[in-house]
Amino acid sequence: MNYSYRIQKTILYIETNLGKKLSVDELAGIAGFSKYHFIRIFKHETGSRLFEYIQSRRMARAAKQLLFTNQNIFDIALMYQFDSQEAFTRAFKKEYSLSPGRYRNVMSNLIHFEEEVYTMEKNIIPGWIVTGTVPSEYNVEFDYIIFHKGTRSVRIKGESININNEDYMTVMQQFKACTYIGKRIRFSAFIKTQEVDTWCGLWMRINDATANILKLDNMQNRPVKGTNDWNYYSVVLDIPECSNIINIGILLNGKGTIWMDHVDIEIVDKSVETTDVDLSSELPEKPMNLSLEESDIEME
């Protein structure tokens, strides 16, 4: 069974209710599972334990509050369901290696510095390739204000009047397939969108040594459109014996803004369903017009 939709629905609920108390029973009911089945499926799908995930997201929201507001630490602690400032400080320090106060003092200056450096090296994300049909019409950069975990996300923004529905921008990378031959891998990330008018999604493509496409999934059969808060998405492919290169990335087709964070690639077992596109689905069932006569096509 494909559980992705139910887990995404639950994550969306969590995202909009991080300032409220959240119980396993409530979240399991939203997903439509029994409590213990839900806990297991959530971990299986996202790679995170349920309440570790919720706390991590609360910490990310709190980090943003510390950096970009003057709100006092005690109020932030209460806002994200901590009983005391001490409990909040312990949890925050475990996640960010700094107390909330030190994080506010140290990271504020550091982030402004990093933004200036990044502007000088525009569109360079170490290890990733930034490309598309009209690269000059899109803006790709780190976002230190909107992020899912840690201190920054990657943002692709396309607002130019010169962008049409056939244009796209992608942040991608390539690596050798040899380590993953014969295995099933899942490429996942958390994505947030704003006014995506065509579609966006994660993608993974497997090529052989002559660049033939062996496996592909670009989420075009389950596209992300419009405005959506952070949610978890993944693509899962088997890596055939003759694979040579694995390509992964996120793609924005047309106009809009997307954010990507908390990226992961992992080997999964066969209980995780593959999501690849059937590359033969648009082909005819049998040869056509072998006589090269137009009348034969009409007879078919």
Side-chain angles (χ1 to χ4, degrees):
M1 181 183 293
N2 190 334
Y3 297 114
S4 295
Y5 172 76
R6 296 191 191 187
I7 296 301
Q8 287 171 1
K9 182 180 177 182
T10 309
I11 289 173
L12 178 59
Y13 182 82
I14 291 170
E15 198 67 27
T16 55
N17 291 278
L18 286 171
K20 299 178 181 178
K21 290 192 175 184
L22 296 168
S23 70
V24 178
D25 289 333
E26 177 186 16
L27 297 175
I30 290 168
F33 296 129
S34 67
K35 179 166 65 174
Y36 297 107
H37 187 54
F38 170 65
I39 291 171
R40 185 177 66 82
I41 293 301
F42 189 93
K43 174 67 165 62
H44 192 262
E45 285 285 306
T46 67
S48 300
R49 296 180 186 278
L50 176 62
F51 281 103
E52 288 177 355
Y53 172 83
I54 293 171
Q55 181 151 302
S56 177
R57 286 299 297 135
R58 284 173 171 161
M59 291 295 96
R61 289 279 185 90
K64 182 178 175 180
Q65 296 287 108
L66 289 166
L67 291 179
F68 301 107
T69 75
N70 294 320
Q71 201 163 12
N72 69 61
I73 294 172
F74 178 68
D75 287 343
I76 294 174
L78 293 181
M79 180 184 300
Y80 293 109
Q81 298 298 308
F82 286 89
D83 295 331
S84 66
Q85 184 170 327
E86 291 74 20
F88 172 64
T89 297
R90 286 195 300 271
F92 191 91
K93 192 171 182 179
K94 182 178 180 182
E95 186 82 12
Y96 287 90
S97 301
L98 293 169
S99 67
R102 288 192 64 197
Y103 180 86
R104 172 175 266 168
N105 292 333
V106 173
M107 293 302 293
S108 294
N109 292 331
L110 180 62
I111 285 175
H112 292 312
F113 172 74
E114 287 189 355
E115 285 184 314
E116 291 169 6
V117 171
Y118 188 74
T119 301
M120 294 169 61
E121 300 183 24
K122 197 170 180 63
N123 288 342
I124 297 176
I125 303 173
W128 295 81
I129 300 165
V130 179
T131 187
T133 54
V134 283
S136 62
E137 303 297 336
Y138 288 87
N139 181 259
V140 181
E141 61 187 354
F142 291 125
D143 192 324
Y144 294 90
I145 299 176
I146 298 174
F147 50 84
H148 183 265
K149 187 176 183 180
T151 59
R152 65 186 182 184
S153 63
V154 168
R155 180 182 66 198
I156 304 176
K157 189 174 186 177
E159 295 182 332
S160 169
I161 60 173
N162 298 320
I163 296 173
N164 60 48
N165 291 345
E166 295 179 353
D167 290 320
Y168 70 86
M169 194 70 175
T170 185
V171 176
M172 60 165 289
Q173 65 172 277
Q174 300 176 305
F175 51 93
K176 294 179 180 178
C178 52
T179 303
Y180 301 95
I181 295 293
K183 297 180 172 62
R184 180 168 294 182
I185 64 173
R186 174 167 60 195
F187 166 48
S188 63
F190 281 81
I191 298 173
K192 176 182 173 73
T193 67
Q194 181 176 306
E195 298 179 351
V196 173
D197 62 358
T198 307
W199 67 279
C200 72
L202 299 176
W203 63 274
M204 177 161 54
R205 187 181 69 228
I206 315 300
N207 294 103
D208 66 13
T210 57
N212 292 316
I213 300 175
L214 303 176
K215 297 281 184 178
L216 170 69
D217 180 20
N218 61 3
M219 287 183 58
Q220 204 162 357
N221 62 347
R222 53 193 193 287
V224 184
K225 301 179 181 180
T227 299
N228 304 277
D229 213 332
W230 288 109
N231 216 323
Y232 173 82
Y233 300 92
S234 65
V235 294
V236 181
L237 297 180
D238 288 326
I239 312 303
E241 292 295 328
C242 54
S243 301
N244 187 53
I245 297 173
I246 299 174
N247 309 267
I248 60 171
I250 185 170
L251 181 144
L252 170 61
N253 181 204
K255 296 179 182 179
T257 304
I258 63 174
W259 292 262
M260 178 177 71
D261 198 0
H262 202 173
V263 181
D264 192 22
I265 191 158
E266 59 186 324
I267 297 171
V268 296
D269 59 40
K270 300 300 181 182
S271 67
V272 179
E273 294 184 5
T274 58
T275 59
D276 49 318
V277 176
D278 181 1
L279 299 176
S280 67
S281 61
E282 296 183 2
L283 299 177
E285 295 293 330
K286 58 183 179 179
M288 296 178 64
N289 195 21
L290 300 182
S291 67
L292 308 181
E293 297 292 336
E294 186 175 348
S295 59
D296 282 2
I297 297 178
E298 293 174 355
M299 290 176 64
E300 292 286 348

